[in-house]
Amino acid sequence: MLTYESEKRIFTIHTKNTSYQMMADSRGVLLHLYYGRRISGAADYLLRLYDRGFSGNPYDAKEDRSYSLDVLPQEFPCLGTGDHRRPACILELENGASSCDLRYDSHEIRKGKYALPQLPAVYAGEEEAETLSITLKDAWGSGIEVTLLYGVIPEIDIITRSVQVTNRGSSGAALTRLLSANLDFLTGSFDVITFFGKHGMERVFQREAVSHGVKMIGSGRGMSSHQYNPLMILAEREATEESGCCYAMEFVYSGGFLAEAEQDPFEQTRMQMGLASERFHWPLAPGESFTAPEVILSCSTSGLAKLSQNLHSCLKQHVIRGKWRDEIRPFLLNSWEGCYFDFNGERILELAKGASELGLDMIVMDDGWFGSRRDDNAGLGDWTVNEEKLGCTLPELVAGIRDLGLAFGIWVEPEMVNEDSDFYRAHPDYALKVPGRNPVMARNQLVLDFSREEVVDAVYTQLAALLKSCPITYVKWDYNRCIEDVYSMGAADQGTVLHKYILGLYSLLERINREFPELLIEGCSGGGGRFDAGMLYYTPQIWCSDNTDAVDRLRIQHGTSFGYPVSAVGAHISVCPNHQCGRVTPLRTRGIVAMAGTYGLELDPGTLTEEEKEEIRRQLAVRRRFAALIEDGSYLRLSDPVRDPIAAWLMVSEDRSEALLSTVNLETHFNDAQRYVRLQGLDPGALYAVKDVFEESAAVLCPAAALMGSGFPIAREMGEYGAHMFYLKRQ
Ligand code: DGJ
């Protein structure tokens, strides 16, 4: 619910459990007042003004030295107004000065959720959401107008933010920094939680105190990246999974980003998120407008688990779209780790036979089927089937696969090109390169210039022909390098290229989704290098990591779970010793870990023993049986897989009548202590029958309060990495 109190010009956004409040003060400056547990009434009493040395005052406040934007909590701080904390906006005027003194002009409250031109954004029905837009104008006649957009989905405690900057003046200007959300806290001691990583180890949880200075994460790679995920959480120092106040910002964007947490000299905290400023320069000629990508904001007053659940609900119901949003996705076998580049049509059919005997739904032919692709040095850009390699046409191969009762999926990497490809030979200028210089190479490939419409069109033509050539129902959309050479032949200002690239990517994905509404696209970027809410708008699931080792995956999936739902997490079983790190883990463990994601296989079934095949059939039956609970239930982290001896997580149905507990033993010792896993989220007064889903043993009746207080005992066993999955049914 959105309210406006006209006397004090106070805006309040109420969600089910939280309130967010702002005030256009007597000078028209939009101050942030409060975000936290739901309130009624005004929180302007929190503001206390003092004269603070070396904190300047706006000209119109010069008699009042206590009024300074250097310390006041603001909604959208700009450089040049006396605020020396990190700005949300730097606007360069035609004369070279950086200044923008924004004052309240007008506002609008309406039903429904705003959409953003050319950009992915949270969507919701007219009755589910509301929009508040507040327009601010530069006080000095530049004609710069800034509209702050707030979308509210009260039921799931979600507020979204975006910003539109318009030049209604007669001289030019340029944006050199534009963040989408700024959150100022007058009080509170916080920890900042971020998710760092690298190829093969993405989204590792890191929690540290916010202290004086700026904690900054981001990506200047033209992609959201393996290194930092565009998700930042501020949590009260004492906040845990189950208690305390915490705040998340999650970027609905797949390119470079910036997220910062800053403590100022007066122990106030500022949190921000938006576009990367590095190599960003966006000219705004008179009449032009720029829209910043959206940030999803949420506050939980009952700990981190609830915060994640708010984000999960938002992504599952209000970001992911299309046919696959509400459907159980196909359980598939991907050819990559089974044969890498070494396959032909026959081998793919063999894999398909194996997959069908195991009860899977689909086979995916990964990299190596097109152009002159023999290894990862050639062929990208030529999306035509290499019939010589396959030994048949694609329609013939797909017909054979469908005869086995399987659907067919294919790998593509549409944004890339190898110099050794017909596409590059025909259009060398279509790649991003700085004129007169050698480009930086990565995996021996170049990035196509998606900031140019004609390049996107040419790729679309090839992809559409491929998808129309036979029944392809799934595409794995890969992206295997980052952007280094930021120069487009089509750009008047090279500072626009990286953002226009992402707009080009989104336009292509939108077109493919519209033209092929039945198609399921799985995002991928060397695993999870572009695991973000922007991609999820077009690709309902994303390959989580190239690291398929079950133990490493525990860390990766643990971090991922803070911002992303299970249904979005591409996770497969591979063989042992694991190809990435050589570790040996039981097949049961690999299966249980992959079940906290989409569950599929990344191996050659021909190498499996009969016993292993039987185990996979059992796992698949379990994954299918509990699909709704796994994907729609509330996800609860029960341990920290880096520090604790047992990794454990729980999915609980909305009515708490059933739950699924998964555990993996991470330590094995002689004469070890009995370990217990403390559960959460159950109906505290109820009794639950707890049963191992893979064993014949009888169910054990356990009081929920004891399960959540003392815990559930996990059997001591010989050997490493034993895993269990227990089904809990309320009696
Ligand atoms: C990187 C992906 O993450 C892998 O799964 C595989 O598809 C390779 N690319 C193929 O080149």
Side-chain angles (χ1 to χ4, degrees):
M1 193 186 42
L2 286 166
T3 61
Y4 176 62
E5 200 259 278
S6 56
E7 206 176 312
K8 284 184 171 172
R9 298 201 292 189
I10 287 184
F11 301 89
T12 309
I13 303 172
H14 291 297
T15 69
K16 191 172 171 187
N17 300 295
T18 69
S19 298
Y20 183 108
Q21 204 167 67
M22 305 163 262
M23 175 173 79
D25 74 5
S26 57
R27 296 184 172 87
V29 174
L30 190 63
L31 299 179
H32 178 82
L33 294 180
Y34 175 82
Y35 190 22
R37 191 177 297 279
R38 198 175 156 122
I39 53 169
S40 55
D44 56 335
Y45 78 93
L46 289 167
L47 299 174
R48 285 285 185 273
L49 307 185
Y50 302 98
D51 181 357
R52 322 215 193 197
F54 287 82
S55 286
N57 319 108
Y59 197 81
D60 49 333
K62 64 182 173 192
E63 296 298 311
D64 177 4
R65 293 191 190 174
S66 69
Y67 187 94
S68 173
L69 295 184
D70 207 18
V71 286
L72 280 164
Q74 292 168 75
E75 274 304 295
F76 193 67
C78 293
L79 185 71
T81 57
D83 185 351
H84 290 273
R85 294 166 290 182
R86 307 285 287 162
C89 176
I90 302 182
L91 182 85
E92 219 176 74
L93 300 172
E94 203 168 49
N95 63 8
S98 292
S99 177
C100 192
D101 184 0
L102 295 175
R103 305 292 172 110
Y104 171 77
D105 176 66
S106 58
H107 73 272
E108 193 198 358
I109 293 175
R110 66 170 179 84
K111 274 186 170 182
K113 161 75 178 51
Y114 64 83
L116 297 177
Q118 296 176 281
L119 282 164
V122 167
Y123 65 90
E126 281 292 289
E127 300 305 324
E128 282 177 306
E130 279 181 291
T131 293
L132 163 67
S133 46
I134 302 178
T135 299
L136 312 170
K137 283 186 173 165
D138 180 29
W140 299 101
S142 67
I144 293 296
E145 199 174 282
V146 171
T147 300
L148 305 181
L149 291 167
Y150 300 82
V152 194
I153 309 181
E155 193 49 37
I156 52 172
D157 293 325
I158 289 288
I159 297 173
T160 63
R161 289 193 59 176
S162 174
V163 183
Q164 282 172 333
V165 184
T166 306
N167 183 356
R168 299 205 188 280
S170 50
S171 7
L175 290 162
T176 61
R177 177 175 169 112
L178 182 66
L179 304 189
S180 306
N182 180 85
L183 205 48
D184 280 356
F185 296 89
L186 285 167
T187 65
S189 310
F190 295 102
D191 284 342
V192 57
I193 300 173
T194 50
F195 303 89
F196 70 94
K198 56 190 171 193
H199 179 218
M201 186 49 80
E202 300 87 337
R203 293 171 297 287
V204 182
F205 173 90
Q206 172 166 279
R207 181 171 181 162
E208 62 205 291
V210 176
S211 52
H212 289 285
V214 184
K215 166 76 186 178
M216 190 197 91
I217 59 160
S219 161
R221 295 170 178 264
M223 61 196 282
S224 46
S225 93
H226 301 84
Q227 281 72 25
Y228 297 103
N229 193 262
L231 169 67
M232 183 179 258
I233 294 173
L234 271 198
E236 282 175 351
R237 287 274 155 81
E238 60 281 7
T240 65
E241 286 287 344
E242 294 165 276
S243 68
C245 206
C246 40
Y247 304 85
M249 284 190 183
E250 182 161 28
F251 208 18
V252 190
Y253 192 65
S254 314
F257 76 97
L258 194 63
E260 298 183 349
E262 174 182 16
Q263 192 177 54
D264 75 11
F266 304 100
E267 263 110 66
Q268 306 181 127
T269 304
R270 171 168 287 179
M271 181 189 195
Q272 301 183 316
M273 183 176 272
L275 286 172
S277 312
E278 195 179 299
R279 290 159 151 171
F280 175 74
H281 184 266
W282 200 277
L284 277 181
E288 285 181 353
S289 227
F290 182 83
T291 302
E294 182 165 272
V295 166
I296 299 172
L297 206 61
S298 190
C299 165
S300 157
T301 56
S302 51
L304 292 160
K306 177 71 170 66
L307 189 69
S308 294
Q309 285 155 19
N310 295 345
L311 297 174
H312 294 178
S313 302
C314 182
L315 294 181
K316 279 194 290 190
Q317 296 303 321
H318 302 281
V319 172
I320 293 170
R321 303 174 297 164
K323 167 181 157 73
W324 294 103
R325 186 186 80 165
D326 303 317
E327 280 190 27
I328 304 293
R329 319 262 169 76
F331 298 108
L332 60 88
L333 183 144
N334 180 294
S335 67
W336 183 242
E337 287 196 31
C339 37
Y340 297 102
F341 290 104
D342 182 18
F343 63 83
N344 55 21
E346 254 172 51
R347 181 115 197 253
I348 295 292
L349 268 180
E350 273 306 306
L351 295 185
K353 269 187 211 128
S356 126
E357 281 165 21
L358 292 170
L360 291 161
D361 305 316
M362 178 184 278
I363 168 114
V364 176
M365 181 164 64
D366 208 281
D367 195 354
W369 58 268
F370 52 91
S372 57
R373 190 86 164 160
R374 293 167 300 278
D375 52 27
D376 59 7
N377 284 305
L380 292 173
D382 297 337
W383 301 108
T384 45
V385 185
N386 185 339
E387 294 180 356
E388 206 184 307
K389 171 169 177 172
L390 287 189
C392 60
T393 66
L394 191 60
E396 281 163 357
L397 177 64
V398 176
I401 286 167
R402 290 175 73 85
D403 285 347
L404 294 166
L406 290 187
F408 175 75
I410 202 161
W411 178 96
V412 290
E413 195 178 358
E415 299 153 75
M416 298 290 166
V417 72
N418 284 118
E419 286 177 328
D420 184 2
S421 69
D422 293 341
F423 192 70
Y424 183 81
R425 281 183 280 273
H427 306 286
D429 63 306
Y430 276 14
L432 286 167
K433 277 181 300 182
V434 179
R437 290 170 184 258
N438 279 336
V440 177
M441 299 305 286
R443 217 190 189 202
N444 205 26
Q445 62 197 53
L446 296 171
V447 187
L448 287 170
D449 182 358
F450 268 35
S451 74
R452 285 165 66 187
E453 243 178 83
E454 63 273 35
V455 179
V456 175
D457 279 349
V459 174
Y460 172 79
T461 306
Q462 288 204 60
L463 290 184
L466 170 70
L467 294 173
K468 283 178 187 157
S469 68
C470 53
I472 297 173
T473 53
Y474 162 106
V475 155
K476 179 175 171 188
W477 187 295
D478 211 343
Y479 179 88
N480 283 306
R481 63 161 294 175
C482 42
I483 302 178
E484 311 290 355
D485 298 281
V486 184
Y487 187 93
S488 167
M489 310 286 273
D493 188 319
Q494 300 302 327
T496 63
V497 172
L498 287 174
H499 181 59
K500 282 189 175 160
Y501 177 94
I502 295 294
L503 296 183
L505 166 66
Y506 289 155
S507 75
L508 178 60
L509 284 163
E510 184 65 26
R511 223 161 140 188
I512 302 271
N513 271 307
R514 241 186 295 122
E515 186 81 6
F516 304 94
E518 304 284 307
L519 186 71
L520 171 63
I521 310 180
E522 175 155 349
C524 177
S525 171
R530 219 165 41 181
F531 205 112
D532 57 66
M535 285 308 285
L536 286 174
Y537 189 72
Y538 307 97
T539 72
Q541 58 195 53
I542 301 175
W543 183 228
C544 183
S545 177
D546 273 352
N547 188 342
T548 55
D549 169 61
V551 174
D552 280 354
R553 270 293 182 123
L554 288 171
R555 289 183 185 189
I556 298 168
Q557 291 177 194
H558 172 81
T560 306
S561 76
F562 280 83
Y564 304 93
V566 165
S567 63
V569 173
H572 298 166
I573 297 175
S574 58
V575 295
C576 273
N578 175 266
H579 287 189
Q580 292 83 43
C581 69
R583 195 188 333 250
V584 175
T585 51
L587 181 54
R588 174 73 48 86
T589 305
R590 284 175 267 153
I592 287 176
V593 173
M595 281 189 218
T598 53
Y599 188 84
L601 302 188
E602 189 92 6
L603 47 74
D604 178 352
T607 62
L608 296 171
T609 63
E610 281 312 311
E611 205 185 319
E612 287 173 326
K613 286 183 186 166
E614 210 29 61
E615 169 66 14
I616 289 176
R617 283 189 202 105
R618 261 198 304 269
Q619 290 181 5
L620 191 55
V622 167
R623 183 61 178 76
R624 283 193 201 278
R625 174 177 163 211
F626 294 115
L629 184 53
I630 292 174
E631 287 163 29
D632 303 334
S634 300
Y635 183 95
L636 294 153
R637 293 170 291 269
L638 303 181
S639 76
D640 173 346
V642 179
R643 287 202 307 241
D644 295 332
I646 294 182
W649 61 96
L650 186 75
M651 283 95 167
V652 185
S653 65
E654 203 185 334
D655 65 0
R656 299 190 290 183
S657 66
E658 48 178 359
L660 209 51
L661 167 66
S662 304
T663 66
V664 180
N665 281 327
L666 293 170
E667 285 185 18
T668 301
H669 305 288
F670 166 65
N671 203 15
D672 201 1
Q674 172 61 52
R675 310 261 175 216
Y676 296 84
V677 168
R678 269 188 58 232
L679 273 53
Q680 299 165 24
L682 302 176
D683 182 352
L687 267 183
Y688 285 80
V690 185
K691 187 180 169 331
D692 191 316
V693 298
F694 289 104
E695 304 296 332
E696 287 309 321
S697 56
V700 188
L701 275 187
C702 309
L707 286 171
M708 295 194 288
S710 302
F712 185 73
I714 303 301
R716 294 191 334 189
E717 53 198 334
M718 294 293 281
E720 287 191 296
Y721 310 122
H724 295 275
M725 186 178 256
F726 301 95
Y727 176 59
L728 286 80
K729 179 83 188 142
R730 187 171 55 194
Q731 300 302 292

